[in-house]
Amino acid sequence: MKKFKYLVVALFAILMSCDGDDIDIPESVLPTNLMVTSINVGDGTVNFTASATNANYYHFDFGDGSSALNNEGVASKTYDMIGDNTYTVKVTAGSSQGKTTSETIDITVSVAFTDPVTVGFLTNEDSKTWFLAASQPGHLGLGPAREGIDGDWWYPKWFSASAFEKCGTEDSDCLCDDELTFSVDANGSISYTLDNKGQTYFNVGHKAVVGGAEDIDFCYDFDTSGVKSVVLSEVAGNVPEDQTTGIQMNFSDDGFMGYYVGSSTYEILFISDTELYVRTYDTENADLAWYHKFTSAAVVDGGDEESLETIYTNLVWSDEFDVDGAPDAANWTYDLGAGGWGNGEAQEYTNKADNVIVEDGVLKITARGSGAVGGAVHYYDDVTLVASGGETSSIEDFEGDAPVFTDFGGVSTAVIDNPDASGLNTSGTVGESTKNSGAEVWGGSFFDITTPLDLATYSSMEIKTWSPATGAVVRLKIENQANADEFFEVDASTSVAEAWETLTFDLSTAPAFNYDRVVLFFDFGVSPSGDAAYTSARIKSENLFEFTYGRVEIRAKLPSAGGTWPALWALGANFDEVGWPATGEIDIMEHVGNNNNTISSALHYPGNSGGNAIVGTTSVETAISEFHNYTVEWTPDSIKFVVDGELVHNSLVNNATTPFNSDFFLIMNVAMGGTLGGAIDSEFTEDTMEVDYVRVYQ
């Protein structure tokens, strides 16, 4: 250690003895005159310039945890925090000898929320026009605001799925004419124009805006001209992630989307190339949320506004039904049997000439009533909870408003006058359960109750029943509507025939679930045989003619009797592989005798099936007395429904995400009753759908 110290001293002495003119000793220089400027160029980007005397480098601390270092004194920073935010930026200038000086400046940066996917869907990357999806359930809906009274999520109550709920009455039809156009410029700014043809549909709570006198929602002359700007932002509040995109649209200058509730902010619940679904909040009533569903395809109702310009003119398949007898076996096969086909229908399908035949140049599908009740009929009444001490609580006695029954497996249920008001049961009305011939062994029905069963107080359930035979198994199943895995089942058997008795079902061992559904199976495990109450036919081209894309034209005259439900439709050929609704369903024409001369068409596919299908309706005044042409034009880009050459329902912009891009087969049938057919006329004997021809063009 000492030797090292002496060496340093010696070197220092040598250096000091040299001529000072031969050695350039650098001075310690401090950068001076530091100046910092900033330019906000938009979209969150700020350009910085720094200069100082004697500076060799510049360090930028951007105030958000990020920094940059360079020799030029120039830096660019893009901030990404949404909204208006202020940052303290520190710039340090340094010399090569380590001397530094610093300056700070405060900058305010505005960053608009954006989402390229949403912008692309909304504007189709340029300009796009949207229309009210008046043919779809939920096209205009009402529900409580974001948080329920206990913080629970509340769902909207939908208005009718019918296009004519809002489009067919004078006080609201102006809503269905609106065209909403969104455009985006090169800078990503969104503009919006509402063309409402001079009239606006006003919520009654906002009638003062136009000096309205009506105490209902009404169409008023109201000018909405002018272009509005639209800014996207994140949604704040108690919104479940799976119920929203997390994005809302904010319109300038009081812009709105067709229905006037005073709001200019719309939360996007769902958006795609073809559908836009939004929610907004009423400025006069903060507890109300309004729901709008839009489509990118214009819906034309009425049948007289636009003619179909087909792209398909080459006839590739047809049946002209010009040979009498059974339908051509090269073109058609049959669905046979009963069981309701998933819709609670009452008919049994056959291939008998009484139900399906070609004669006089037309195909005739005839639904017939046998004149007698088919299958097995049971009656029941006074569904009652019973406590161990004898205390009772009535669940349903069928004397007031009838419950809403849901039938399955070939069973039909109704409330009727008591057919045997004697013995144990002299009440006026009872439940009737008809298990049709050929029904599934598990066929039954259920009704829901508003107050869950109190099984802490009551340990059993009694039901008065009337059976045509002894030894019939009656199964009671209680369920939780919200969780199908929570249920309890117990059986009892009838001990008398053609008389009322009381069956008791032990519920003492039922798990402690929230039971608010009562399901009953009469003749459980048995499929009744014998003549069905109603017979009909369903023919199909499955495995004989299947096709992708084309124009299908069917000329038909329809039955009119109450309860008839004729249909001309197509089903995905991969039905046996993927099931329904994944396979897709195209309903070219449906009609019900309980609403004669109103024609509907529909599309069923995942997310839009059953009661949520895309549906369009139109009036055809002579549908039951004359032949009309029912057509679907199915292309890779769209599906359009047509009656007599006139477009009545432009329902879908087709794309790769739908199941409508592979083979389908044709089906024609007449069902009886069920979820759409409704009540069957008690005097029904028979009625026929006549089909003149079926033609497919590609």
Side-chain angles (χ1 to χ4, degrees), residues 40 48 377 650:
N40 193 328
F48 297 94
V377 179
N650 193 8

Side-chain angles (χ1 to χ4, degrees), residues 61-94:
D61 181 344
F62 296 119
D64 67 343
S66 64
S67 61
L69 176 68
N70 60 52
N71 299 323
E72 294 81 18
V74 176
S76 181
K77 167 65 179 177
T78 299
Y79 294 89
D80 57 10
M81 184 176 294
I82 305 301
D84 296 333
N85 298 286
T86 299
Y87 302 91
T88 298
V89 179
K90 181 179 180 180
V91 180
T92 300

Side-chain angles (χ1 to χ4, degrees), residues 10-54:
L11 288 173
F12 179 73
I14 294 172
L15 289 172
M16 292 300 293
S17 66
C18 295
D19 189 341
D21 293 337
D22 297 330
I23 302 296
D24 184 12
I25 302 175
E27 297 182 7
S28 181
V29 180
L30 178 71
T32 58
N33 302 320
L34 175 59
M35 298 183 63
V36 180
T37 60
S38 66
I39 299 177
N40 193 328
V41 298
D43 294 329
T45 299
V46 181
N47 292 335
F48 297 94
T49 301
S51 63
T53 304
N54 298 321

Side-chain angles (χ1 to χ4, degrees), residues 89-109:
V89 179
K90 181 179 180 180
V91 180
T92 300
S95 69
S96 59
Q97 288 76 44
K99 296 292 186 176
T100 63
T101 188
S102 300
E103 290 287 341
T104 60
I105 60 172
D106 289 335
I107 60 168
T108 298
V109 182

